């Protein structure tokens, strides 16, 4: 199945964060139905996730075909959004950039922009991995602004020992295509055929490098990303989740892959019990991992998400 980085985007908006020179790149797939915002994870931006097309169709296309008004954006330091000046100096000795409190402010700025275009309509949020912490924090603080919530492969609280201090890992790090491929395949059972739609990342990989203008000049080529998401994940695994799930009131779907090592049965059960929402569901997609939006199992992810956002039982 041929992949494509050229997403069918009819509108791009550069949004300046209030009180800042930082700008966020917003992507919009217009639709007549409810607005849906996609919040990306820790290492790659919206064009490489919700907007990335396999066989001429992306997750954004699927949601749009279901009638939703679809939005995505890149966090500061990713993709088409601005880079903090600290990302151009050595990373050591600088606190990790882009942690969940700042990320939640960015989510809020995008939601407020969408609501201004939609006469104040609450926005459904679909968030992946680390992005679920930023989305969860925003949903807890602004319940009036959120319709329904989908947490795809959410990071939850564990109690692991021996991890580094979150503040000690530096401002940023660099990620190669080989780094991405290793983590994309590590949870697939050794005896099982590849589940990635593009098992060698032959087109996704170069598109990933193209998301950072400086990537090609590094040896090996690599994308520089903020380390705040990794710091938040370390903190969560050490018992300090970046938001209080009890304050999340929006109807919430947890959707995860059968082989998702970051969100296992016990993790989903903990989060389901911890959520303040009165309406919750937990959907497990067979033969899929933490990255199933890039896998053959994505059809199950797409169907569960669209059904939940439409108010259907999952």
């Amino acid at each position: 199945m041929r992949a494509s980085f050229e997403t069918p985007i009819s509108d791009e908006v550069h949004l300046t964060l209030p009180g800042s020179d930082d700008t966020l790149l917003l992507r919009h797939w217009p639709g007549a139905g409810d607005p849906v915002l996609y919040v990306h994870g820790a290492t790659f931006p919206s064009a490489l996730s919700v907007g990335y097309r396999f066989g001429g169709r992306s997750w954004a296309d699927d949601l749009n075909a279901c009638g939703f008004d679809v939005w995505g954006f890149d966090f500061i330091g990713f993709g088409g959004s601005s880079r903090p000046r600290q990302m151009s100096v050595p990373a050591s000795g600088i606190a990790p950039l882009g942690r969940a409190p700042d990320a939640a402010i960015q989510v809020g700025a995008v939601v407020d922009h969408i609501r201004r275009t939609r006469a104040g309509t609450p926005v459904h949020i679909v968030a992946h991995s680390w992005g679920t912490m930023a989305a969860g924090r925003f949903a807890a603080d602004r319940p009036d602004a959120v319709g329904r919530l989908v947490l795809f492969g959410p990071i939850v609280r564990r109690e692991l020992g021996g991890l580094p201090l979150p503040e000690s890992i530096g401002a940023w790090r660099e990620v190669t295509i080989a780094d991405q491929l290793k983590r994309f395949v590590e949870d697939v059972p050794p005896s099982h055929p590849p589940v990635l739609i593009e098992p060698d990342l032959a087109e996704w990989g170069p598109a990933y490098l193209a998301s950072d203008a400086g990537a090609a000049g590094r040896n090996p080529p690599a994308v520089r990303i903020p380390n705040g998401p990794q710091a938040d994940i370390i903190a969560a695994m050490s018992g300090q989740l970046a938001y209080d799930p009890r304050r999340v009131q929006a109807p919430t779907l947890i959707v995860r892959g059968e082989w998702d090592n970051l969100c296992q049965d016990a993790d989903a059960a903990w989060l389901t019990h911890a959520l303040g929402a009165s309406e919750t569901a937990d959907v497990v997609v067979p033969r899929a991992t933490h990255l199933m939006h890039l896998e053959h199992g994505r059809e199950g992810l797409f169907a569960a998400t669209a059904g939940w956002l439409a108010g259907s039982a999952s």
Side-chain angles (χ1 to χ4, degrees), residues 168-218:
S168 71
I169 63 173
W172 50 263
R173 74 185 193 277
E174 292 174 351
V175 182
T176 67
I177 297 173
D179 293 332
Q180 290 287 33
L181 183 57
K182 179 181 178 181
R183 76 185 192 93
F184 285 8
V185 303
E186 62 187 358
D187 289 341
V188 179
S191 60
H192 198 281
V195 296
L196 283 173
I197 294 172
E198 190 183 74
D200 57 359
L201 301 186
E203 295 189 35
W204 190 97
Y208 180 56
L209 294 179
S211 72
D212 177 2
R218 300 179 184 119

Side-chain angles (χ1 to χ4, degrees), residues 277-304:
S278 59
E279 184 183 355
T280 63
D282 175 23
V283 171
V284 180
V285 177
R287 298 177 298 282
T289 79
H290 194 67
L291 286 304
M292 69 175 139
H293 49 334
L294 307 181
E295 300 173 352
H296 294 290
R298 70 182 189 149
E299 299 302 330
L301 170 67
F302 291 3

